[in-house]
Amino acid sequence: MNELIESRRCFNGEQRRYRHRANTLSCDMQVSVYLPDQAKSQPLPAVYWLSGLTCNDRNFVEKAGAQRIASELGLILIVPDTSPRGEGVADADSDSLGQGAGFYVNATEQPWRAHYQMERYVTDELVQWSADTLPVNDKRAIAGHSMGGHGALTLALKHPHLYTSASAFSPISHPTECPWGQAALSAYLGEDPQLWLQHDACVLLQSKRSHIPMRVDQGLADPFLTEQLNPQALEKAAQVHQAPLAMHYHDGFDHSYFFVASFIETQLRFHHHYLR
């Protein structure tokens, strides 16, 4: 099943929403897609956007204002949901676990493993779905916010052959050492902290020999800065291992989509440089 359920004119392009059957997740998934008009005449590169805790595929496309610059640069924006959803999909009474909080990992523990295979979905099935459904070429980048920033960085570091570049707003940089990350990783992967390390950007920067260009934007008025995000650990890991990470701190900005909207043009231009 693959269904176009919504389409609206937006700048010089079209904002769409699809519903498709995700075999890796054993449920239907919704994906928002922005198609610039250039896609009518040629395949275009894509930027995959991963959203944060409690979000779905709509938050970014309705709040970030990314379509204007994507239409100028000729970039397709592909925005999946943050987790599997639907009847029979496990959930929890927590913002950091369950539906809306897939953390972009492949769960191994019950009751999550039947549906919560978000790493496989994003890096395998969604890439294939995009190639089958959309006028994309073989160049793609990945970006995200908060939990999605964690996903963008870790998936890029684990699958560098898939992406030309990666970026993040306010990412959960060191999830093995913060409450959000520890709660999710222990539930999805089990209680052995060694199993969590392959989903921690700071650890991956230390263990990977090759890296793709990365950019991180972090607001200094973010209420989660110290307890949950720890960008300094990411910056230190990149410096020690000479990874190509550009870290940008911004006075006065918080964790909201007002921050994302303020710098999304900068991030998309960063990706466009490598996607060309």
Side-chain angles (χ1 to χ4, degrees), residues 49 144-146 149 167-171 216-218 259-260 263-264 267:
W49 174 270
H145 172 233
S146 193
S167 69
F169 288 91
S170 315
V216 169
D217 289 274
Q218 175 63 59
F259 174 44
V260 175
F263 296 98
I264 190 61
Q267 286 209 5

Side-chain angles (χ1 to χ4, degrees), residues 47-94:
V47 177
Y48 289 75
W49 174 270
L50 307 182
S51 297
L53 292 170
T54 75
C55 292
N56 58 29
D57 62 296
R58 300 301 292 266
N59 298 76
F60 175 75
V61 299
E62 293 179 354
K63 296 180 178 181
Q67 293 91 339
R68 177 186 63 82
I69 189 63
S71 68
E72 175 193 328
L73 299 177
L75 299 176
I76 294 174
L77 304 177
I78 301 173
V79 187
D81 203 345
T82 52
S83 77
R85 298 181 194 265
E87 185 178 354
V89 175
D91 201 2
D93 187 19
S94 169

Side-chain angles (χ1 to χ4, degrees), residues 154-167:
T154 56
L155 297 186
L157 289 166
K158 294 178 72 176
H159 306 273
H161 61 289
L162 287 178
Y163 309 106
T164 64
S165 49
S167 69

